[in-house]
Amino acid sequence: MADDGEWSIRVDGEACLMSGLCMSLAPDVFREDDDHRAVALTDRSAPDGRLLEAAEFCPAEAIAIRDLTTGEPIEGSG
């Protein structure tokens, strides 16, 4: 996992199954919207292992995290 730079966070609301895993791992980053789908409260973050876990274990693979500098997906994220 890269420890410097910044990550972009994207949640595919259409794919979200609302397992709630992302909200339990990082409640300061993810919340439920009015349509009962997970959304990210921000579109960027410093590297954070909780976000990587949320993306890696999302049952719908609805969370994508990319390195903002390179545009490359962060290993382990959808």
Side-chain angles (χ1 to χ4, degrees):
M1 172 174 69
D3 354 354
D4 55 357
E6 199 168 24
W7 289 354
S8 72
I9 307 163
R10 187 184 61 76
V11 178
D12 180 348
E14 294 297 314
C16 177
L17 298 173
M18 272 311 297
S19 73
L21 180 66
C22 60
M23 290 178 278
S24 67
L25 287 169
D28 55 323
V29 177
F30 300 102
R31 72 166 174 83
E32 183 178 341
D33 70 7
D34 293 337
D35 294 325
H36 306 289
R37 305 281 187 200
V39 295
L41 298 173
T42 182
D43 62 350
R44 54 182 53 197
S45 172
D48 184 332
R50 300 172 309 147
L51 303 178
L52 191 56
E53 279 187 77
E56 185 175 353
F57 295 112
C58 175
E61 298 181 358
I63 301 170
I65 301 173
R66 293 185 171 274
D67 182 305
L68 279 174
T69 303
T70 65
E72 293 295 316
I74 300 299
E75 186 176 334
S77 74

